[in-house]
Amino acid sequence: MKTPTVFENAVYSKVTRRLIPFLILCYFFAYLDRVNVGFAKLHMQDALSFSDTVYGLGAGIFFIGYFLFELPSNLLMQRFGPRFWIARIMATWAVLSAGMMFVTTPTQFYVIRFLLGVAEAGFFPGIVFYLTLWFPSWRSARTLGLFILVTPLSTIIGSPLSGLILKLFEDVGGLHNWQWLFLIEAIPSFLLAFVVLRYLDNDVKSAKWLNDSEKQVILDDLAKDALHRAQSAHGKVDSSLSAMFKNGYVWLLALIFFSFNIGYYGINFWLPSIIKTSGISDDFQIGLLAALPYVFGAAFMVWNSRHSDLKQERRWHIAIPAIIGCVGLTLSAYCSGSTFWMMTWICLAMSGTLALIPTYISLPGAMLSGTAAAVGIALVNSIGNLAGFFGPTVLGWLKDTTGSTDSGLYILAGFLLLVAPLIMALPARLANPGRSSVTTAADKQHNATQHTYR
C-alpha cells in the first residue's frame, strides 16, 4: 500500500473536520430519540399499565418499520440527493418522536413506534453510504469509528440527561415526566433538519470548500478503491444491483449484523430497567449508571477501529470483540444479584459489543460500489436491525414469564458468540482493505503539490 502523502492526509483531515462533527451531532439526536423509550419506561409503563411484553414489543416494533422502508429510503436518497433526504428524515422522525407523548394505549404505542422506524429508515445506512462518497476503504474504519462514536456518546450524555428530565419535569404544566422527555429530546432533531439543507454537500464535486487539487485527491482515491474491489473479486462478486440480491457475502454480512444486534439492542433497551431492579430507584442515578458501560465501550471502539486500519485487518477485529461481549453478558446474568459485579460485566460486554461496530460497518461499502453500495448497505443494515425487534421483544416476554432477565441475557450472549465464526467465513481478500498500486498522472501532481504545501 502506497504511503499517503502529507497533502493527502491534510485533505482527508479537512474533510473529516467538515463532515464528521456535524454528522455526529445529527446521529446523536437520532439515536437518542430511538432509545429514550428505555428511560420513559421507568414511569410510562406504570402510568399506562403496560406489561413488560407490551413494552418489549413496542420498543422492538420500531425495527419492523425500519426494515421495510430502509432499502427504498436509500434508493430515494440517490434520487433526491443526500442533503435533502437526510433533512427530510430528521424532520419526520422528530415530529413522530414528540408524538410519543400522546400515547395512552398499547395500540397507539405500537403504531407510533412503527412509524418512527419508517421515518428514521435510511438515516444510518444513508450516512454510511454518504461517507463512502468521501473516503476510500483504507480510511473507512477509522472514519466510521469517529462517526459511530456517537452511539456510546448518545448514551453517555443522553442517559443522565434523560434521568434528569424525568427527575425535574414530573407534573410540570400538567404533563408526566415521560411526556416531557419525548418532547424535549425531539426538538433539536427538528431544528437540525434545516441546518442540514445549508451545511451538507451532496458529493465531492459540489463541495465549494475544497479546491480542485483537493477534490482530485479524493476522486483518484475513490477510483483506485473501485479498481481494487474489481481486482479482489476475481469475478466472484458482481457489484451490479441485480446481482447484489444474489450475493451470498451480502447475506452473510446481514446475518452477522443480525446476530450482533440481538445482543446489542436487547441490553440497550432494557439496561435502565435492569439497573432499577437491582435496587437503584433514583432516575438520575440510573441514568449515570446506564452511561458507564458506554464510556468503556467508546474507548475500546476508538482503539479497535484505529488498530484495524493500522493493521489493515478486519475479521479478527470483529471476532474477538464479539467473544468479549458474549463473556460479559454471560457473567452479568450470572452475577445479577450484585449491582457492582453486574455493572462490571455489563461494562465488559459493551466494550466488546461497541468495539466491533465501525470495523464491521466498513465492510459493505468496501465490497460494493455505486447503486449496489447504497442498496447493499441498506439491505445489510435493515436485515440486521430486525434483531432490534426480536431482542427487546424476547427479553420482555421472558421477563414476564420467568420474572427475571437472566435467561434472556444468556440468549443474547449466545448470538454475540455466533458473530465470531460467521465473520471468519468471509474471505480475508474481501474483508481486508487494500489500496491500488496504480500511479496516475494526478498522483504525480499531488506529490508535487505536497512540496508546495510543506
Side-chain angles (χ1 to χ4, degrees), residues 7 11-12 134 203-222 446:
F7 181 67
V11 170
Y12 285 107
W134 298 85
D203 52 32
V204 174
K205 293 181 180 179
S206 62
K208 296 180 180 179
W209 44 276
L210 291 173
N211 62 41
D212 290 341
S213 296
E214 291 169 333
K215 291 179 182 179
Q216 198 60 49
V217 167
I218 301 172
L219 293 173
D220 282 351
D221 278 351
L222 294 177
H446 297 153

Side-chain angles (χ1 to χ4, degrees), residues 148-159:
I148 300 171
L149 186 61
V150 71
T151 301
L153 285 178
S154 295
T155 306
I156 292 169
I157 300 171
S159 292

Side-chain angles (χ1 to χ4, degrees), residues 317-383:
H317 287 81
I318 295 171
I320 293 175
I323 294 171
I324 292 173
C326 168
V327 171
L329 271 188
T330 301
L331 292 175
S332 70
Y334 183 75
C335 300
S336 60
S338 166
T339 302
F340 173 80
W341 285 111
M342 179 195 70
M343 289 302 302
T344 297
W345 297 124
I346 286 179
C347 287
L348 180 68
M350 275 300 173
S351 295
T353 317
L354 289 172
L356 66 87
I357 298 178
T359 305
Y360 166 80
I361 290 297
S362 70
L363 295 180
M367 292 171 57
L368 300 166
S369 60
T371 301
V375 179
I377 292 169
L379 178 63
V380 168
N381 200 60
S382 60
I383 292 175

Side-chain angles (χ1 to χ4, degrees), residues 48-81:
L48 302 180
S49 300
F50 288 175
S51 68
D52 286 320
T53 302
V54 167
Y55 165 73
L57 179 58
I61 205 169
F62 167 96
F63 294 96
I64 300 297
Y66 200 93
F67 166 75
L68 293 174
F69 288 87
E70 189 164 5
L71 185 58
S73 181
N74 253 31
L75 289 174
L76 289 170
M77 176 179 287
Q78 282 211 315
R79 178 176 178 180
F80 292 106

Side-chain angles (χ1 to χ4, degrees), residues 203-409:
D203 52 32
V204 174
K205 293 181 180 179
S206 62
K208 296 180 180 179
W209 44 276
L210 291 173
N211 62 41
D212 290 341
S213 296
E214 291 169 333
K215 291 179 182 179
Q216 198 60 49
V217 167
I218 301 172
L219 293 173
D220 282 351
D221 278 351
L222 294 177
K224 291 175 184 179
D225 211 16
L227 177 60
H228 170 75
R229 282 194 295 267
Q231 292 172 340
S232 298
H234 299 308
K236 294 182 180 179
V237 180
D238 185 347
S239 60
S240 67
L241 179 59
S242 59
M244 185 274 303
F245 286 100
K246 303 175 184 178
N247 189 329
Y249 292 129
V250 170
W251 292 102
L252 176 60
L253 289 174
L255 180 58
I256 293 168
F257 201 34
F258 181 89
S259 299
F260 157 76
N261 273 338
I262 283 278
Y264 176 67
Y265 278 117
I267 189 65
N268 192 285
F269 281 113
W270 280 90
L271 184 55
S273 296
I274 291 172
I275 295 172
K276 187 174 183 178
T277 57
S278 72
I280 308 297
S281 58
D282 182 81
D283 291 326
F284 185 59
Q285 290 182 18
I286 291 174
L288 290 175
L289 284 174
L292 188 60
Y294 295 85
V295 174
F296 291 94
F300 197 16
M301 173 188 286
V302 171
W303 179 87
N304 194 58
S305 61
R306 288 180 178 272
H307 194 262
S308 176
D309 270 358
L310 178 65
K311 298 297 184 181
Q312 295 290 283
E313 198 285 328
R314 298 293 188 241
R315 297 188 304 168
W316 286 108
H317 287 81
I318 295 171
I320 293 175
I323 294 171
I324 292 173
C326 168
V327 171
L329 271 188
T330 301
L331 292 175
S332 70
Y334 183 75
C335 300
S336 60
S338 166
T339 302
F340 173 80
W341 285 111
M342 179 195 70
M343 289 302 302
T344 297
W345 297 124
I346 286 179
C347 287
L348 180 68
M350 275 300 173
S351 295
T353 317
L354 289 172
L356 66 87
I357 298 178
T359 305
Y360 166 80
I361 290 297
S362 70
L363 295 180
M367 292 171 57
L368 300 166
S369 60
T371 301
V375 179
I377 292 169
L379 178 63
V380 168
N381 200 60
S382 60
I383 292 175
N385 273 309
L386 275 178
F389 170 75
F390 290 104
T393 302
V394 169
L395 205 56
W397 177 78
L398 287 171
K399 175 69 162 52
D400 273 339
T401 303
T402 67
S404 171
T405 56
D406 292 354
S407 57
L409 291 176

